[in-house]
Amino acid sequence: MFDRYSDGMIQAAILRSAKPEELRYDLSEEMSSEMAAFLCLSLKHCDSHQGEAILEFLFAIATNRLTLRQKHFDALKEAASYAPIYSDLFGALLSNPRGN
């Protein structure tokens, strides 16, 4: 759905209005993989319109509203290196998922 509605304001509104169970991508290998790929692409393009909602997505991850499988979460952490402007913020938000 986030590919279809690519405007950052719309994506943020969807994230904020979604029920937590609607953002449980960790329940499906395929959905977790697809969301991780989308988020990795958004991180790589965080300085353009394609990644304008990335902070909302990272906030959803940091607050455990959006969940991914661990291997996809690890790929997302690696992709954060593509966003040097925000790398410290991304590192802090992504370093401790689910309060572990």
Side-chain angles (χ1 to χ4, degrees):
M1 174 176 21
F2 292 109
D3 282 337
R4 178 173 291 176
Y5 299 105
S6 60
D7 182 85
M9 295 297 285
I10 293 172
Q11 290 175 342
I14 291 169
L15 279 172
R16 290 182 183 198
S17 64
K19 296 176 184 172
E21 58 269 16
E22 293 173 324
L23 300 174
R24 292 281 318 267
Y25 293 100
D26 62 325
L27 298 177
S28 163
E29 177 74 24
E30 180 182 353
M31 294 301 291
S32 180
S33 176
E34 287 179 20
M35 178 52 81
F38 169 80
L39 292 172
C40 288
L41 186 63
S42 294
L43 275 170
K44 290 178 184 179
H45 299 286
C46 68
D47 58 348
S48 72
H49 78 281
Q50 190 171 1
E52 65 187 355
I54 193 62
L55 291 177
E56 288 288 338
F57 284 101
L58 293 175
F59 183 73
I61 291 170
T63 58
N64 298 320
R65 286 185 44 79
L66 190 152
T67 57
L68 301 170
R69 294 203 171 182
Q70 187 61 48
K71 68 180 179 180
H72 301 130
F73 183 79
D74 293 341
L76 183 60
K77 286 195 302 187
E78 184 178 320
S81 66
Y82 292 106
I85 295 173
Y86 303 113
S87 61
D88 291 339
L89 174 62
F90 291 156
L93 286 175
L94 297 173
S95 65
N96 196 15
R98 299 180 204 85
N100 295 332

